[in-house]
PDB file of all heavy atoms in Angstrom:
ATOM      1  N   VAL A  24       0.836  -1.206   0.000  1.00 91.00           N
ATOM      2  CA  VAL A  24       0.000   0.000   0.000  1.00 91.00           C
ATOM      3  C   VAL A  24       0.866   1.248   0.000  1.00 91.00           C
ATOM      4  O   VAL A  24       0.638   2.197  -0.766  1.00 91.00           O
ATOM      5  CB  VAL A  24      -0.948   0.005   1.226  1.00 91.00           C
ATOM      6  CG1 VAL A  24      -1.659   1.362   1.349  1.00 91.00           C
ATOM      7  CG2 VAL A  24      -1.964  -1.108   1.114  1.00 91.00           C
ATOM      8  N   SER A  25       1.896   1.277   0.849  1.00 87.00           N
ATOM      9  CA  SER A  25       2.731   2.475   0.963  1.00 87.00           C
ATOM     10  C   SER A  25       3.527   2.735  -0.309  1.00 87.00           C
ATOM     11  O   SER A  25       3.600   3.873  -0.781  1.00 87.00           O
ATOM     12  CB  SER A  25       3.679   2.341   2.158  1.00 87.00           C
ATOM     13  OG  SER A  25       4.509   1.210   2.017  1.00 87.00           O
ATOM     14  N   SER A  26       4.123   1.672  -0.905  1.00 87.00           N
ATOM     15  CA  SER A  26       4.956   1.885  -2.103  1.00 87.00           C
ATOM     16  C   SER A  26       4.111   2.276  -3.315  1.00 87.00           C
ATOM     17  O   SER A  26       4.496   3.147  -4.092  1.00 87.00           O
ATOM     18  CB  SER A  26       5.766   0.624  -2.414  1.00 87.00           C
ATOM     19  OG  SER A  26       4.919  -0.479  -2.698  1.00 87.00           O
ATOM     20  N   ILE A  27       2.935   1.671  -3.455  1.00 90.00           N
ATOM     21  CA  ILE A  27       2.077   2.006  -4.602  1.00 90.00           C
ATOM     22  C   ILE A  27       1.514   3.412  -4.455  1.00 90.00           C
ATOM     23  O   ILE A  27       1.484   4.189  -5.417  1.00 90.00           O
ATOM     24  CB  ILE A  27       0.934   0.979  -4.744  1.00 90.00           C
ATOM     25  CG1 ILE A  27       1.500  -0.395  -5.109  1.00 90.00           C
ATOM     26  CG2 ILE A  27      -0.074   1.420  -5.811  1.00 90.00           C
ATOM     27  CD1 ILE A  27       0.475  -1.505  -5.127  1.00 90.00           C
ATOM     28  N   SER A  28       1.074   3.779  -3.234  1.00 88.00           N
ATOM     29  CA  SER A  28       0.524   5.123  -3.026  1.00 88.00           C
ATOM     30  C   SER A  28       1.597   6.186  -3.212  1.00 88.00           C
ATOM     31  O   SER A  28       1.322   7.267  -3.752  1.00 88.00           O
ATOM     32  CB  SER A  28      -0.087   5.236  -1.625  1.00 88.00           C
ATOM     33  OG  SER A  28       0.876   4.977  -0.628  1.00 88.00           O
ATOM     34  N   THR A  29       2.835   5.896  -2.807  1.00 85.00           N
ATOM     35  CA  THR A  29       3.927   6.850  -3.020  1.00 85.00           C
ATOM     36  C   THR A  29       4.256   6.970  -4.509  1.00 85.00           C
ATOM     37  O   THR A  29       4.435   8.066  -5.040  1.00 85.00           O
ATOM     38  CB  THR A  29       5.185   6.403  -2.251  1.00 85.00           C
ATOM     39  OG1 THR A  29       4.886   6.338  -0.853  1.00 85.00           O
ATOM     40  CG2 THR A  29       6.332   7.381  -2.473  1.00 85.00           C
ATOM     41  N   LEU A  30       4.294   5.838  -5.206  1.00 86.00           N
ATOM     42  CA  LEU A  30       4.625   5.831  -6.631  1.00 86.00           C
ATOM     43  C   LEU A  30       3.597   6.606  -7.446  1.00 86.00           C
ATOM     44  O   LEU A  30       3.951   7.371  -8.342  1.00 86.00           O
ATOM     45  CB  LEU A  30       4.702   4.389  -7.127  1.00 86.00           C
ATOM     46  CG  LEU A  30       5.090   4.192  -8.598  1.00 86.00           C
ATOM     47  CD1 LEU A  30       6.530   4.575  -8.835  1.00 86.00           C
ATOM     48  CD2 LEU A  30       4.847   2.759  -9.027  1.00 86.00           C
ATOM     49  N   LEU A  31       2.314   6.421  -7.110  1.00 86.00           N
ATOM     50  CA  LEU A  31       1.243   7.034  -7.899  1.00 86.00           C
ATOM     51  C   LEU A  31       0.657   8.267  -7.227  1.00 86.00           C
ATOM     52  O   LEU A  31      -0.378   8.773  -7.676  1.00 86.00           O
ATOM     53  CB  LEU A  31       0.129   6.010  -8.146  1.00 86.00           C
ATOM     54  CG  LEU A  31       0.563   4.750  -8.902  1.00 86.00           C
ATOM     55  CD1 LEU A  31      -0.618   3.823  -9.108  1.00 86.00           C
ATOM     56  CD2 LEU A  31       1.177   5.097 -10.244  1.00 86.00           C
ATOM     57  N   ALA A  32       1.311   8.782  -6.168  1.00 83.00           N
ATOM     58  CA  ALA A  32       0.867   9.999  -5.475  1.00 83.00           C
ATOM     59  C   ALA A  32      -0.591   9.892  -5.040  1.00 83.00           C
ATOM     60  O   ALA A  32      -1.367  10.824  -5.178  1.00 83.00           O
ATOM     61  CB  ALA A  32       1.091  11.230  -6.357  1.00 83.00           C
ATOM     62  N   SER A  33      -0.976   8.738  -4.523  1.00 87.00           N
ATOM     63  CA  SER A  33      -2.335   8.526  -4.040  1.00 87.00           C
ATOM     64  C   SER A  33      -2.340   8.526  -2.518  1.00 87.00           C
ATOM     65  O   SER A  33      -1.307   8.327  -1.875  1.00 87.00           O
ATOM     66  CB  SER A  33      -2.876   7.191  -4.574  1.00 87.00           C
ATOM     67  OG  SER A  33      -4.184   6.949  -4.109  1.00 87.00           O
ATOM     68  N   ASP A  34      -3.504   8.750  -1.923  1.00 87.00           N
ATOM     69  CA  ASP A  34      -3.645   8.747  -0.470  1.00 87.00           C
ATOM     70  C   ASP A  34      -3.635   7.299   0.013  1.00 87.00           C
ATOM     71  O   ASP A  34      -4.496   6.507  -0.370  1.00 87.00           O
ATOM     72  CB  ASP A  34      -4.952   9.428  -0.067  1.00 87.00           C
ATOM     73  CG  ASP A  34      -5.049   9.638   1.437  1.00 87.00           C
ATOM     74  OD1 ASP A  34      -4.783   8.681   2.177  1.00 87.00           O
ATOM     75  OD2 ASP A  34      -5.410  10.750   1.868  1.00 87.00           O
ATOM     76  N   PRO A  35      -2.654   6.908   0.868  1.00 88.00           N
ATOM     77  CA  PRO A  35      -2.569   5.503   1.291  1.00 88.00           C
ATOM     78  C   PRO A  35      -3.806   5.028   2.047  1.00 88.00           C
ATOM     79  O   PRO A  35      -4.194   3.868   1.934  1.00 88.00           O
ATOM     80  CB  PRO A  35      -1.315   5.471   2.179  1.00 88.00           C
ATOM     81  CG  PRO A  35      -1.072   6.891   2.561  1.00 88.00           C
ATOM     82  CD  PRO A  35      -1.583   7.723   1.437  1.00 88.00           C
ATOM     83  N   SER A  36      -4.449   5.931   2.812  1.00 88.00           N
ATOM     84  CA  SER A  36      -5.635   5.517   3.560  1.00 88.00           C
ATOM     85  C   SER A  36      -6.782   5.195   2.606  1.00 88.00           C
ATOM     86  O   SER A  36      -7.525   4.227   2.804  1.00 88.00           O
ATOM     87  CB  SER A  36      -6.039   6.612   4.552  1.00 88.00           C
ATOM     88  OG  SER A  36      -6.349   7.816   3.886  1.00 88.00           O
ATOM     89  N   GLN A  37      -6.946   6.014   1.549  1.00 89.00           N
ATOM     90  CA  GLN A  37      -7.996   5.743   0.568  1.00 89.00           C
ATOM     91  C   GLN A  37      -7.690   4.472  -0.220  1.00 89.00           C
ATOM     92  O   GLN A  37      -8.582   3.674  -0.512  1.00 89.00           O
ATOM     93  CB  GLN A  37      -8.138   6.923  -0.387  1.00 89.00           C
ATOM     94  CG  GLN A  37      -8.650   8.200   0.258  1.00 89.00           C
ATOM     95  CD  GLN A  37      -8.790   9.333  -0.751  1.00 89.00           C
ATOM     96  OE1 GLN A  37      -8.608   9.134  -1.955  1.00 89.00           O
ATOM     97  NE2 GLN A  37      -9.110  10.521  -0.274  1.00 89.00           N
ATOM     98  N   LEU A  38      -6.414   4.287  -0.574  1.00 90.00           N
ATOM     99  CA  LEU A  38      -6.020   3.099  -1.341  1.00 90.00           C
ATOM    100  C   LEU A  38      -6.287   1.825  -0.545  1.00 90.00           C
ATOM    101  O   LEU A  38      -6.808   0.850  -1.078  1.00 90.00           O
ATOM    102  CB  LEU A  38      -4.553   3.208  -1.749  1.00 90.00           C
ATOM    103  CG  LEU A  38      -4.059   2.191  -2.792  1.00 90.00           C
ATOM    104  CD1 LEU A  38      -2.972   2.809  -3.653  1.00 90.00           C
ATOM    105  CD2 LEU A  38      -3.492   0.947  -2.125  1.00 90.00           C
ATOM    106  N   SER A  39      -5.933   1.834   0.754  1.00 91.00           N
ATOM    107  CA  SER A  39      -6.148   0.644   1.570  1.00 91.00           C
ATOM    108  C   SER A  39      -7.628   0.386   1.788  1.00 91.00           C
ATOM    109  O   SER A  39      -8.090  -0.760   1.775  1.00 91.00           O
ATOM    110  CB  SER A  39      -5.434   0.807   2.920  1.00 91.00           C
ATOM    111  OG  SER A  39      -5.967   1.909   3.638  1.00 91.00           O
ATOM    112  N   GLU A  40      -8.408   1.459   1.963  1.00 90.00           N
ATOM    113  CA  GLU A  40      -9.844   1.291   2.212  1.00 90.00           C
ATOM    114  C   GLU A  40     -10.567   0.705   1.014  1.00 90.00           C
ATOM    115  O   GLU A  40     -11.372  -0.220   1.145  1.00 90.00           O
ATOM    116  CB  GLU A  40     -10.458   2.650   2.575  1.00 90.00           C
ATOM    117  CG  GLU A  40     -11.953   2.584   2.866  1.00 90.00           C
ATOM    118  CD  GLU A  40     -12.533   3.932   3.236  1.00 90.00           C
ATOM    119  OE1 GLU A  40     -11.761   4.915   3.319  1.00 90.00           O
ATOM    120  OE2 GLU A  40     -13.758   4.010   3.443  1.00 90.00           O
ATOM    121  N   ILE A  41     -10.293   1.203  -0.190  1.00 92.00           N
ATOM    122  CA  ILE A  41     -11.039   0.740  -1.364  1.00 92.00           C
ATOM    123  C   ILE A  41     -10.635  -0.671  -1.763  1.00 92.00           C
ATOM    124  O   ILE A  41     -11.401  -1.388  -2.402  1.00 92.00           O
ATOM    125  CB  ILE A  41     -10.845   1.722  -2.543  1.00 92.00           C
ATOM    126  CG1 ILE A  41     -11.982   1.565  -3.549  1.00 92.00           C
ATOM    127  CG2 ILE A  41      -9.488   1.531  -3.230  1.00 92.00           C
ATOM    128  CD1 ILE A  41     -12.090   2.670  -4.542  1.00 92.00           C
ATOM    129  N   ASN A  42      -9.401  -1.110  -1.365  1.00 91.00           N
ATOM    130  CA  ASN A  42      -8.957  -2.482  -1.645  1.00 91.00           C
ATOM    131  C   ASN A  42      -9.198  -3.421  -0.467  1.00 91.00           C
ATOM    132  O   ASN A  42      -8.780  -4.580  -0.503  1.00 91.00           O
ATOM    133  CB  ASN A  42      -7.480  -2.485  -2.043  1.00 91.00           C
ATOM    134  CG  ASN A  42      -7.255  -1.854  -3.411  1.00 91.00           C
ATOM    135  OD1 ASN A  42      -7.484  -2.481  -4.443  1.00 91.00           O
ATOM    136  ND2 ASN A  42      -6.809  -0.598  -3.414  1.00 91.00           N
ATOM    137  N   SER A  43      -9.834  -2.888   0.613  1.00 90.00           N
ATOM    138  CA  SER A  43     -10.201  -3.695   1.789  1.00 90.00           C
ATOM    139  C   SER A  43      -8.996  -4.379   2.412  1.00 90.00           C
ATOM    140  O   SER A  43      -9.023  -5.572   2.741  1.00 90.00           O
ATOM    141  CB  SER A  43     -11.268  -4.734   1.403  1.00 90.00           C
ATOM    142  OG  SER A  43     -12.426  -4.109   0.896  1.00 90.00           O
ATOM    143  N   VAL A  44      -7.893  -3.616   2.556  1.00 91.00           N
ATOM    144  CA  VAL A  44      -6.697  -4.128   3.227  1.00 91.00           C
ATOM    145  C   VAL A  44      -6.209  -3.062   4.201  1.00 91.00           C
ATOM    146  O   VAL A  44      -6.662  -1.925   4.175  1.00 91.00           O
ATOM    147  CB  VAL A  44      -5.572  -4.474   2.218  1.00 91.00           C
ATOM    148  CG1 VAL A  44      -6.010  -5.590   1.288  1.00 91.00           C
ATOM    149  CG2 VAL A  44      -5.161  -3.240   1.423  1.00 91.00           C
ATOM    150  N   SER A  45      -5.276  -3.438   5.064  1.00 90.00           N
ATOM    151  CA  SER A  45      -4.694  -2.471   5.991  1.00 90.00           C
ATOM    152  C   SER A  45      -3.641  -1.643   5.271  1.00 90.00           C
ATOM    153  O   SER A  45      -3.185  -2.015   4.182  1.00 90.00           O
ATOM    154  CB  SER A  45      -4.061  -3.190   7.179  1.00 90.00           C
ATOM    155  OG  SER A  45      -2.920  -3.923   6.758  1.00 90.00           O
ATOM    156  N   GLU A  46      -3.247  -0.521   5.885  1.00 87.00           N
ATOM    157  CA  GLU A  46      -2.255   0.359   5.258  1.00 87.00           C
ATOM    158  C   GLU A  46      -0.860  -0.249   5.261  1.00 87.00           C
ATOM    159  O   GLU A  46       0.035   0.253   4.608  1.00 87.00           O
ATOM    160  CB  GLU A  46      -2.244   1.716   5.955  1.00 87.00           C
ATOM    161  CG  GLU A  46      -3.494   2.522   5.690  1.00 87.00           C
ATOM    162  CD  GLU A  46      -3.348   3.971   6.102  1.00 87.00           C
ATOM    163  OE1 GLU A  46      -2.210   4.481   6.088  1.00 87.00           O
ATOM    164  OE2 GLU A  46      -4.357   4.586   6.462  1.00 87.00           O
ATOM    165  N   THR A  47      -0.658  -1.332   6.008  1.00 88.00           N
ATOM    166  CA  THR A  47       0.651  -2.006   6.026  1.00 88.00           C
ATOM    167  C   THR A  47       0.654  -3.257   5.151  1.00 88.00           C
ATOM    168  O   THR A  47       1.623  -4.000   5.150  1.00 88.00           O
ATOM    169  CB  THR A  47       1.013  -2.391   7.470  1.00 88.00           C
ATOM    170  OG1 THR A  47      -0.014  -3.246   8.009  1.00 88.00           O
ATOM    171  CG2 THR A  47       1.128  -1.138   8.344  1.00 88.00           C
ATOM    172  N   ALA A  48      -0.433  -3.480   4.423  1.00 89.00           N
ATOM    173  CA  ALA A  48      -0.584  -4.721   3.655  1.00 89.00           C
ATOM    174  C   ALA A  48       0.356  -4.758   2.451  1.00 89.00           C
ATOM    175  O   ALA A  48       0.757  -3.724   1.909  1.00 89.00           O
ATOM    176  CB  ALA A  48      -2.029  -4.874   3.182  1.00 89.00           C
ATOM    177  N   THR A  49       0.689  -5.984   2.043  1.00 90.00           N
ATOM    178  CA  THR A  49       1.481  -6.236   0.833  1.00 90.00           C
ATOM    179  C   THR A  49       0.651  -7.115  -0.097  1.00 90.00           C
ATOM    180  O   THR A  49       0.082  -8.120   0.331  1.00 90.00           O
ATOM    181  CB  THR A  49       2.803  -6.939   1.169  1.00 90.00           C
ATOM    182  OG1 THR A  49       3.570  -6.099   2.040  1.00 90.00           O
ATOM    183  CG2 THR A  49       3.609  -7.218  -0.086  1.00 90.00           C
ATOM    184  N   PHE A  50       0.587  -6.736  -1.373  1.00 91.00           N
ATOM    185  CA  PHE A  50      -0.207  -7.484  -2.343  1.00 91.00           C
ATOM    186  C   PHE A  50       0.641  -8.581  -2.990  1.00 91.00           C
ATOM    187  O   PHE A  50       1.863  -8.446  -3.134  1.00 91.00           O
ATOM    188  CB  PHE A  50      -0.732  -6.553  -3.447  1.00 91.00           C
ATOM    189  CG  PHE A  50      -1.635  -5.463  -2.957  1.00 91.00           C
ATOM    190  CD1 PHE A  50      -1.152  -4.170  -2.776  1.00 91.00           C
ATOM    191  CD2 PHE A  50      -2.962  -5.724  -2.659  1.00 91.00           C
ATOM    192  CE1 PHE A  50      -1.981  -3.162  -2.335  1.00 91.00           C
ATOM    193  CE2 PHE A  50      -3.799  -4.719  -2.214  1.00 91.00           C
ATOM    194  CZ  PHE A  50      -3.317  -3.442  -2.041  1.00 91.00           C
ATOM    195  N   GLU A  51      -0.026  -9.664  -3.398  1.00 90.00           N
ATOM    196  CA  GLU A  51       0.667 -10.704  -4.139  1.00 90.00           C
ATOM    197  C   GLU A  51       1.042 -10.166  -5.520  1.00 90.00           C
ATOM    198  O   GLU A  51       0.429  -9.229  -6.032  1.00 90.00           O
ATOM    199  CB  GLU A  51      -0.229 -11.933  -4.279  1.00 90.00           C
ATOM    200  CG  GLU A  51      -1.538 -11.667  -5.008  1.00 90.00           C
ATOM    201  CD  GLU A  51      -2.476 -12.849  -4.969  1.00 90.00           C
ATOM    202  OE1 GLU A  51      -2.783 -13.325  -3.863  1.00 90.00           O
ATOM    203  OE2 GLU A  51      -2.902 -13.266  -6.053  1.00 90.00           O
ATOM    204  N   THR A  52       2.075 -10.755  -6.109  1.00 87.00           N
ATOM    205  CA  THR A  52       2.558 -10.286  -7.406  1.00 87.00           C
ATOM    206  C   THR A  52       1.470 -10.389  -8.465  1.00 87.00           C
ATOM    207  O   THR A  52       0.730 -11.369  -8.521  1.00 87.00           O
ATOM    208  CB  THR A  52       3.783 -11.103  -7.833  1.00 87.00           C
ATOM    209  OG1 THR A  52       4.812 -10.941  -6.854  1.00 87.00           O
ATOM    210  CG2 THR A  52       4.315 -10.634  -9.182  1.00 87.00           C
ATOM    211  N   ASN A  53       1.387  -9.353  -9.299  1.00 88.00           N
ATOM    212  CA  ASN A  53       0.417  -9.255 -10.395  1.00 88.00           C
ATOM    213  C   ASN A  53      -1.022  -9.131  -9.894  1.00 88.00           C
ATOM    214  O   ASN A  53      -1.962  -9.355 -10.646  1.00 88.00           O
ATOM    215  CB  ASN A  53       0.525 -10.449 -11.352  1.00 88.00           C
ATOM    216  CG  ASN A  53       0.068 -10.078 -12.758  1.00 88.00           C
ATOM    217  OD1 ASN A  53       0.318  -8.978 -13.221  1.00 88.00           O
ATOM    218  ND2 ASN A  53      -0.600 -10.995 -13.427  1.00 88.00           N
ATOM    219  N   LYS A  54      -1.204  -8.723  -8.645  1.00 91.00           N
ATOM    220  CA  LYS A  54      -2.539  -8.494  -8.096  1.00 91.00           C
ATOM    221  C   LYS A  54      -3.094  -7.188  -8.652  1.00 91.00           C
ATOM    222  O   LYS A  54      -2.403  -6.176  -8.722  1.00 91.00           O
ATOM    223  CB  LYS A  54      -2.463  -8.416  -6.569  1.00 91.00           C
ATOM    224  CG  LYS A  54      -3.704  -7.870  -5.882  1.00 91.00           C
ATOM    225  CD  LYS A  54      -4.884  -8.823  -5.981  1.00 91.00           C
ATOM    226  CE  LYS A  54      -6.079  -8.287  -5.195  1.00 91.00           C
ATOM    227  NZ  LYS A  54      -7.275  -9.110  -5.369  1.00 91.00           N
ATOM    228  N   LEU A  55      -4.356  -7.202  -9.092  1.00 92.00           N
ATOM    229  CA  LEU A  55      -5.010  -5.995  -9.606  1.00 92.00           C
ATOM    230  C   LEU A  55      -5.379  -5.102  -8.427  1.00 92.00           C
ATOM    231  O   LEU A  55      -6.149  -5.502  -7.553  1.00 92.00           O
ATOM    232  CB  LEU A  55      -6.252  -6.354 -10.415  1.00 92.00           C
ATOM    233  CG  LEU A  55      -6.920  -5.201 -11.171  1.00 92.00           C
ATOM    234  CD1 LEU A  55      -6.007  -4.710 -12.285  1.00 92.00           C
ATOM    235  CD2 LEU A  55      -8.264  -5.627 -11.741  1.00 92.00           C
ATOM    236  N   VAL A  56      -4.819  -3.891  -8.395  1.00 94.00           N
ATOM    237  CA  VAL A  56      -5.042  -2.953  -7.288  1.00 94.00           C
ATOM    238  C   VAL A  56      -5.772  -1.725  -7.829  1.00 94.00           C
ATOM    239  O   VAL A  56      -5.415  -1.190  -8.889  1.00 94.00           O
ATOM    240  CB  VAL A  56      -3.698  -2.516  -6.657  1.00 94.00           C
ATOM    241  CG1 VAL A  56      -3.934  -1.543  -5.510  1.00 94.00           C
ATOM    242  CG2 VAL A  56      -2.934  -3.742  -6.174  1.00 94.00           C
ATOM    243  N   ILE A  57      -6.805  -1.279  -7.119  1.00 94.00           N
ATOM    244  CA  ILE A  57      -7.526  -0.063  -7.492  1.00 94.00           C
ATOM    245  C   ILE A  57      -6.853   1.118  -6.804  1.00 94.00           C
ATOM    246  O   ILE A  57      -6.615   1.096  -5.599  1.00 94.00           O
ATOM    247  CB  ILE A  57      -9.007  -0.147  -7.078  1.00 94.00           C
ATOM    248  CG1 ILE A  57      -9.688  -1.292  -7.829  1.00 94.00           C
ATOM    249  CG2 ILE A  57      -9.725   1.167  -7.366  1.00 94.00           C
ATOM    250  CD1 ILE A  57     -11.103  -1.560  -7.380  1.00 94.00           C
ATOM    251  N   VAL A  58      -6.538   2.164  -7.580  1.00 94.00           N
ATOM    252  CA  VAL A  58      -5.824   3.331  -7.049  1.00 94.00           C
ATOM    253  C   VAL A  58      -6.699   4.572  -7.227  1.00 94.00           C
ATOM    254  O   VAL A  58      -6.957   4.998  -8.357  1.00 94.00           O
ATOM    255  CB  VAL A  58      -4.483   3.546  -7.783  1.00 94.00           C
ATOM    256  CG1 VAL A  58      -3.733   4.727  -7.166  1.00 94.00           C
ATOM    257  CG2 VAL A  58      -3.633   2.282  -7.718  1.00 94.00           C
ATOM    258  N   PRO A  59      -7.204   5.160  -6.123  1.00 93.00           N
ATOM    259  CA  PRO A  59      -7.994   6.399  -6.239  1.00 93.00           C
ATOM    260  C   PRO A  59      -7.091   7.605  -6.466  1.00 93.00           C
ATOM    261  O   PRO A  59      -6.052   7.743  -5.819  1.00 93.00           O
ATOM    262  CB  PRO A  59      -8.710   6.500  -4.882  1.00 93.00           C
ATOM    263  CG  PRO A  59      -7.857   5.725  -3.949  1.00 93.00           C
ATOM    264  CD  PRO A  59      -7.144   4.679  -4.739  1.00 93.00           C
ATOM    265  N   VAL A  60      -7.449   8.473  -7.415  1.00 89.00           N
ATOM    266  CA  VAL A  60      -6.674   9.676  -7.714  1.00 89.00           C
ATOM    267  C   VAL A  60      -7.627  10.844  -7.908  1.00 89.00           C
ATOM    268  O   VAL A  60      -8.817  10.662  -8.162  1.00 89.00           O
ATOM    269  CB  VAL A  60      -5.791   9.516  -8.975  1.00 89.00           C
ATOM    270  CG1 VAL A  60      -4.744   8.451  -8.787  1.00 89.00           C
ATOM    271  CG2 VAL A  60      -6.652   9.211 -10.192  1.00 89.00           C
ATOM    272  N   ASN A  61      -7.083  12.041  -7.802  1.00 86.00           N
ATOM    273  CA  ASN A  61      -7.857  13.255  -8.061  1.00 86.00           C
ATOM    274  C   ASN A  61      -7.462  13.774  -9.436  1.00 86.00           C
ATOM    275  O   ASN A  61      -6.373  14.258  -9.637  1.00 86.00           O
ATOM    276  CB  ASN A  61      -7.577  14.309  -6.984  1.00 86.00           C
ATOM    277  CG  ASN A  61      -8.346  15.587  -7.240  1.00 86.00           C
ATOM    278  OD1 ASN A  61      -9.399  15.561  -7.857  1.00 86.00           O
ATOM    279  ND2 ASN A  61      -7.811  16.702  -6.786  1.00 86.00           N
ATOM    280  N   CYS A  62      -8.367  13.634 -10.421  1.00 85.00           N
ATOM    281  CA  CYS A  62      -8.093  14.022 -11.801  1.00 85.00           C
ATOM    282  C   CYS A  62      -8.449  15.492 -12.007  1.00 85.00           C
ATOM    283  O   CYS A  62      -9.511  15.933 -11.570  1.00 85.00           O
ATOM    284  CB  CYS A  62      -8.928  13.157 -12.737  1.00 85.00           C
ATOM    285  SG  CYS A  62      -7.929  12.300 -13.950  1.00 85.00           S
ATOM    286  N   SER A  63      -7.599  16.257 -12.685  1.00 80.00           N
ATOM    287  CA  SER A  63      -7.956  17.641 -13.023  1.00 80.00           C
ATOM    288  C   SER A  63      -7.186  18.082 -14.248  1.00 80.00           C
ATOM    289  O   SER A  63      -6.184  17.484 -14.616  1.00 80.00           O
ATOM    290  CB  SER A  63      -7.663  18.576 -11.846  1.00 80.00           C
ATOM    291  OG  SER A  63      -6.304  18.551 -11.525  1.00 80.00           O
ATOM    292  N   CYS A  64      -7.680  19.161 -14.882  1.00 74.00           N
ATOM    293  CA  CYS A  64      -7.109  19.609 -16.147  1.00 74.00           C
ATOM    294  C   CYS A  64      -5.673  20.068 -15.966  1.00 74.00           C
ATOM    295  O   CYS A  64      -5.324  20.654 -14.949  1.00 74.00           O
ATOM    296  CB  CYS A  64      -7.943  20.754 -16.735  1.00 74.00           C
ATOM    297  SG  CYS A  64      -9.546  20.211 -17.370  1.00 74.00           S
ATOM    298  N   SER A  65      -4.854  19.860 -16.973  1.00 67.00           N
ATOM    299  CA  SER A  65      -3.458  20.274 -16.936  1.00 67.00           C
ATOM    300  C   SER A  65      -3.351  21.766 -17.175  1.00 67.00           C
ATOM    301  O   SER A  65      -4.327  22.454 -17.457  1.00 67.00           O
ATOM    302  CB  SER A  65      -2.667  19.514 -17.999  1.00 67.00           C
ATOM    303  OG  SER A  65      -3.083  19.952 -19.273  1.00 67.00           O
ATOM    304  N   GLY A  66      -2.112  22.253 -17.077  1.00 50.00           N
ATOM    305  CA  GLY A  66      -1.890  23.679 -17.284  1.00 50.00           C
ATOM    306  C   GLY A  66      -2.286  24.146 -18.667  1.00 50.00           C
ATOM    307  O   GLY A  66      -2.706  25.269 -18.849  1.00 50.00           O
ATOM    308  N   SER A  67      -2.177  23.303 -19.678  1.00 47.00           N
ATOM    309  CA  SER A  67      -2.533  23.723 -21.029  1.00 47.00           C
ATOM    310  C   SER A  67      -4.025  23.699 -21.266  1.00 47.00           C
ATOM    311  O   SER A  67      -4.522  24.277 -22.210  1.00 47.00           O
ATOM    312  CB  SER A  67      -1.858  22.810 -22.055  1.00 47.00           C
ATOM    313  OG  SER A  67      -2.370  21.505 -21.928  1.00 47.00           O
ATOM    314  N   GLY A  68      -4.755  23.022 -20.406  1.00 46.00           N
ATOM    315  CA  GLY A  68      -6.198  22.979 -20.524  1.00 46.00           C
ATOM    316  C   GLY A  68      -6.706  21.908 -21.463  1.00 46.00           C
ATOM    317  O   GLY A  68      -7.854  21.521 -21.388  1.00 46.00           O
TER     318      GLY A  68
END
């Protein structure tokens, strides 16, 4: 949870909650993980 949230700049608490795991959890290799992000327009629009 911590390495994926750091890599993708996501909130670790939200990431752990939506995947129903603890914030210290480790996923098995090639496990599909849902990553919540805040999408917004870029500087160019």
Side-chain angles (χ1 to χ4, degrees):
V24 171
S25 59
S26 62
I27 294 174
S28 59
T29 300
L30 182 69
L31 300 181
S33 179
D34 189 312
S36 61
Q37 294 181 6
L38 192 148
S39 62
E40 180 179 357
I41 201 166
N42 290 281
S43 301
V44 297
S45 68
E46 290 193 28
T47 58
T49 299
F50 299 100
E51 60 188 55
T52 300
N53 207 38
K54 167 69 176 175
L55 188 67
V56 180
I57 297 173
V58 183
V60 296
N61 179 27
C62 236
S63 61
C64 288
S65 69
S67 65

